[in-house]
Amino acid sequence: MSRKYFGTDGIRGRVGVSPMSADFVLRLGWAAGRVLAAEAPETGRHRKVLIGKDTRVSGYLFESALEAGLSSAGVDVVLLGPIPTPAVAALVQEEQADAGIVISASHNPFHDNGIKFFGPDGRKLSDAVELAIEARLGETFETVDSEQLGKAARMNDATDRYIEFCRQSVPRELRLAGMKIAFDGANGAGYQAGPKLLRALDAEVVTVGCEPDGMNINRDVGSTHPEALVDCVKREGADLGIALDGDGDRVLMVDADGRIYDGDELVYAIASHRHQAGTLKGPVIGTLMTNLAIEQALKAEGIEFHRAKVGDRYVMELLDKHHGEVGGEGSGHILCLDKHSTGDGLIAALQVLEALKASGKSLAGFLGPVQKFPQTLVNVRVEERPAMDHPEIVAAVSAAEGRLAADGRVLLRPSGTEPVIRVMVEGADPALVGQLAKELAQVVENAANNPD
């Protein structure tokens, strides 16, 4: 059965347009409640679902709709308020709830919103459960008898409990006294938890993107717009900066000079520190887009590295397959599975800070020696996608790889959402990289127009 509503990261769209309309989300809550009631073991109690959200003004609308739908299905609801996505995953496990729901569109602008689910293990729902929910959406909406209706409560200390959860991911003796940290909350879900967590560890904290108004989430701030954090670091003379995205599951960092470090580089920092400490388990997992310099740096230290398809779901799959713990993407979605069941921007940042403290180095001192290779990405728009084994494409890729030798890579990847072929070339020589990317893009375009 194919998916109609669920994508790779829940359901997402423009507010007021199906599926992100109040009537659909009401039915979605009801359908999820019916699936939980049917699949959870019978214990004589109501199923319990936690609901968290980011700071979008539409969160009020969808929170109420989900609450009504779940209650109609006989499911109790606990409202967490604005809180990072990974906090919901953590609290689901602490509360031994049956599921968690996050109302967020992550790094999208405020006029979008989305719904994603976590199971009782704090991981995203399986394909089978998502398909079961979709199947229920087609059924007649029926409310349980009044005595079976679900109840709603609010968890007033959700943020403080999440902060304590994050603190437990690093040694209790870790202190950040003497460090001045600039924190960018993207005017999103982490705007409270981030500064409070860092101050609890004795850091001096200055903030940007921590004044949400319901409509400024991700607007010129956060991990998708790091310029605001760079300016703050330089203006305030901070030792480093930390930026989350709108729902707090991604992170990037900035050093005292304003250089930005992406998720690939932060994964290296975490893995390298653990390897030196003798605590790294299994291989490190990146993606097809992970810069070759990161792979080479890891392997130079004797750390095994594998590439997954783009998407944290696929990074998670390879970590599970190879019994690894650390992996992530350049976007800043970083997994430390010994610390949390899902990607968590604050926990990843703490792992990097722990590495810096242990090494006695600054962020630039730790990561500066790892110089990423220049990378050029060209999107080739095509009406009909050419086969990737088209003879002209195969020959051109082989020739390009030969010119790059061991210090470069070529990747051709059809987009999953657009009529686009993404042509990526990276290597030590930026001029050659740009030239080869342009040439390969032309070959792909010609192959699309001449498929035979």
Side-chain angles (χ1 to χ4, degrees), residues 97-340:
D98 298 284
I101 302 178
V102 179
I103 305 166
S104 175
S106 188
H107 55 278
N108 287 31
F110 86 98
H111 53 64
D112 291 339
N113 216 329
I115 309 288
K116 66 179 78 173
F117 291 82
F118 288 102
D121 59 354
R123 291 196 173 196
K124 294 174 183 177
L125 293 184
S126 68
D127 291 342
V129 176
E130 289 183 348
L131 288 171
I133 292 173
E134 288 206 357
R136 289 277 186 173
L137 284 167
E139 298 179 1
T140 302
F141 191 109
E142 294 180 345
T143 302
V144 298
D145 294 337
S146 293
E147 63 270 17
Q148 296 176 327
L149 288 170
K151 299 178 181 179
R154 187 168 294 278
M155 185 186 293
N156 294 317
D157 62 345
T159 295
D160 289 337
R161 289 175 60 176
Y162 170 58
I163 289 171
E164 181 56 30
F165 175 82
C166 291
R167 288 189 64 173
Q168 291 176 7
S169 74
V170 290
R172 296 300 294 186
E173 62 270 18
L174 177 69
R175 286 293 179 268
L176 305 177
M179 292 189 72
K180 187 174 186 179
I181 298 177
F183 177 82
D184 183 347
N187 289 321
Y191 81 100
Q192 291 179 308
K196 289 182 71 173
L197 171 63
L198 295 170
R199 287 176 180 135
L201 294 171
D202 300 329
E204 179 184 353
V205 182
V206 292
T207 61
V208 62
C210 289
E211 297 180 351
D213 63 10
M215 291 171 282
N216 61 0
I217 187 170
N218 300 313
R219 185 192 298 163
D220 300 324
V221 289
S223 62
T224 52
H225 299 281
E227 304 82 17
L229 181 62
V230 171
D231 289 345
C232 183
V233 166
K234 291 181 176 180
R235 181 177 66 252
E236 298 288 343
D239 296 294
L240 57 84
I242 298 169
L244 303 182
D245 67 339
D247 72 331
D249 64 356
R250 299 184 187 186
V251 64
L252 59 75
M253 298 178 74
V254 172
D255 69 22
D257 295 323
R259 177 183 165 186
I260 300 166
Y261 299 86
D262 67 11
D264 291 338
E265 292 165 299
L266 301 184
V267 164
Y268 166 77
I270 295 167
S272 176
H273 165 63
R274 292 185 178 201
H275 179 68
Q276 293 169 26
T279 59
L280 181 66
K281 295 181 180 179
V284 172
I285 306 298
T287 73
L288 296 173
M289 298 302 293
T290 298
N291 196 278
L292 181 61
I294 304 300
E295 177 179 359
Q296 291 182 347
L298 289 168
K299 289 183 175 179
E301 295 186 28
I303 300 173
E304 187 179 351
F305 176 81
H306 297 287
R307 294 180 184 271
K309 292 189 292 184
V310 176
D312 65 285
R313 175 186 292 254
Y314 304 113
V315 175
M316 178 81 77
E317 286 178 359
L318 273 192
L319 284 172
D320 286 342
K321 178 181 177 180
H322 294 285
H323 307 289
E325 294 176 343
V326 177
E329 303 181 275
S331 65
H333 202 122
I334 297 172
L335 293 161
C336 298
L337 293 183
D338 59 323
K339 307 298 182 182
H340 202 348

Side-chain angles (χ1 to χ4, degrees), residues 349-384:
L350 288 184
Q351 308 312 299
V352 176
L353 290 169
E354 180 185 351
L356 299 184
K357 280 292 186 179
S359 68
K361 296 179 180 179
S362 66
L363 187 61
F366 200 109
L367 286 174
V370 181
Q371 294 292 321
K372 291 195 302 182
F373 288 145
Q375 187 179 90
T376 297
L377 179 66
V378 179
N379 291 326
V380 183
R381 290 205 161 267
V382 293
E383 291 187 11
E384 295 292 333

Side-chain angles (χ1 to χ4, degrees), residues 4-81:
K4 184 176 180 181
Y5 300 109
F6 281 95
T8 56
D9 197 24
I11 298 170
R12 191 176 298 184
R14 184 132 185 155
V15 174
V17 180
S18 185
M20 289 314 300
S21 58
D23 57 331
F24 179 87
V25 174
L26 171 71
R27 293 187 59 82
L28 179 66
W30 175 83
R34 295 305 301 151
V35 168
L36 290 174
E39 296 199 354
E42 189 59 49
T43 62
R45 67 166 178 85
H46 280 198
R47 307 301 169 218
K48 180 168 68 174
V49 173
L50 310 188
I51 301 177
K53 61 182 180 179
D54 64 22
T55 56
R56 294 163 212 268
V57 65
S58 59
Y60 296 101
L61 171 72
F62 296 128
E63 182 182 57
S64 297
L66 283 171
E67 178 187 340
L70 289 161
S71 177
S72 297
V75 174
D76 289 341
V77 174
V78 179
L79 303 175
L80 307 179

